[in-house]
Amino acid sequence: MAQPRWLGLSGAPNARDVGGMPGAAGRSVRTGRVFRSEALGRLTDDDLARLADTGLRAVVDLRGDSEVAQLGADRLPPGVTADQLSILDGSMDLYRLMAELIGERDAEQQRDRLGDGGAERFMARLYRWFVTDAGARARFATLLTRLADGARLPLLYHCTAGKDRTGWATAILLEILGVDRATIVADYLASNEGARAATAAILAGLRKGHLMAEPELLVPLLEVREDYLAAAYDQVARDFGDVDGFLARGLGLTTATRAALVDALLV
């Protein structure tokens, strides 16, 4: 099974190349064409030079305005075009939920909302929302359409942590390219490796600052888990029958767009 192709960015350790995985008909996903990442606001000058060396042309930011305001705009190499394609809903805003619970410093409220599987249930609802919400589907479709345009490549897309919106977008893309489900899941779960140090730092900071009596309650929100991705696939089956139905009717992707993705990204 293909190993993650990390970009080695100190300010975005979860950044990696989507290429290198086996795809349809004995072909492979091209490397150096599509990248996925967390937010890029903490890139160092060395990181910027490394990104520039990839030949990057475009970045698509899947965050909402509130996330950009809180975490800062991306730092990008000169000449890279940047577009915001927000996939966010107030009721499903993971980062607002965490900010509210941490800000309240109410241990009982934190335990009531996140304990006994509450955090896991929220994440499953989020992934189902990716499938059920027409606006979210439209934005995922727009991202895929942009990836089908070879003139925009190499392209990098990201959300805040590069694990949920970015993870589902990548799963859809890899489905189109004929990557098998086990490889898709393994690539999705690799975000836990990329985010390990950041997750540990967040939990340590919350404990040291006495912001949460049980910081570990946040772990299900900070990680990716196979069950979360399975919830999205289950919703696809419920609403559209299968992935092909989701691509055609849920995302409205034409046969030509799917063929363009294959032509651009398989070798």
Side-chain angles (χ1 to χ4, degrees):
M1 188 168 292
Q3 296 299 310
R5 300 174 64 90
W6 304 104
L7 295 186
L9 305 182
S10 62
N14 198 25
R16 56 194 194 267
D17 193 323
V18 174
M21 287 172 262
R27 302 168 76 185
S28 298
V29 182
R30 290 181 185 271
T31 59
R33 305 300 285 163
V34 178
F35 307 102
R36 55 174 294 177
S37 180
E38 63 207 271
L40 303 176
R42 297 180 179 178
L43 296 190
T44 65
D45 289 344
D46 286 345
D47 292 338
L48 291 173
R50 188 180 295 269
L51 263 189
D53 287 343
T54 69
L56 187 69
R57 292 182 179 180
V59 167
V60 177
D61 187 347
L62 305 179
R63 297 178 296 170
D65 290 340
S66 60
E67 293 169 283
V68 176
Q70 180 180 1
L71 299 173
D74 290 336
R75 293 193 71 201
L76 299 175
V80 175
T81 63
D83 291 305
Q84 187 179 6
L85 189 62
S86 176
I87 302 175
L88 188 68
D89 177 81
S91 63
M92 290 285 100
D93 187 339
L94 168 62
Y95 298 97
R96 188 178 74 176
L97 170 66
M98 288 195 291
E100 289 175 351
L101 289 173
I102 293 168
E104 289 170 357
R105 301 195 185 197
D106 184 332
E108 184 175 350
Q109 175 75 354
Q110 293 165 355
R111 193 177 303 112
D112 286 345
R113 295 286 300 276
L114 302 177
D116 295 325
E120 292 87 344
R121 288 191 292 274
F122 176 88
M123 294 303 295
R125 289 196 303 273
L126 174 62
Y127 277 73
R128 291 184 184 277
W129 178 82
F130 292 158
V131 177
T132 60
D133 186 82
R137 293 198 308 270
R139 287 166 177 79
F140 283 118
T142 297
L143 173 62
L144 292 166
T145 301
R146 292 183 184 181
L147 290 170
D149 179 0
R152 295 178 181 267
L153 305 181
L155 183 150
L156 180 150
Y157 56 89
H158 74 83
C159 50
T160 290
K163 67 185 184 71
D164 300 311
R165 288 161 290 189
T166 297
W168 179 236
T170 305
I172 300 168
L173 174 62
L174 296 179
E175 290 280 357
I176 294 170
L177 300 178
V179 177
D180 69 89
R181 186 68 57 83
T183 301
I184 291 173
V185 171
D187 175 72
Y188 167 77
L189 293 175
S191 285
N192 288 333
E193 179 182 350
R196 183 174 291 117
T199 296
I202 289 170
L203 298 179
L206 292 172
R207 185 173 285 109
K208 183 177 180 180
H210 305 290
L211 297 172
M212 291 187 72
E214 302 171 84
E216 61 275 10
L217 290 170
L218 285 181
V219 169
L221 304 180
L222 298 172
E223 292 182 344
V224 290
R225 298 185 178 181
E226 190 169 350
D227 286 350
Y228 304 162
L229 191 60
Y233 277 118
D234 178 71
Q235 199 65 48
V236 164
R238 292 185 186 200
D239 293 354
F240 302 99
D242 56 21
V243 170
D244 281 341
F246 175 66
L247 295 174
R249 301 193 305 279
L251 300 183
L253 294 180
T254 65
T255 301
T257 297
R258 293 168 67 175
L261 283 166
V262 169
D263 288 344
L265 298 178
L266 285 186
V267 61

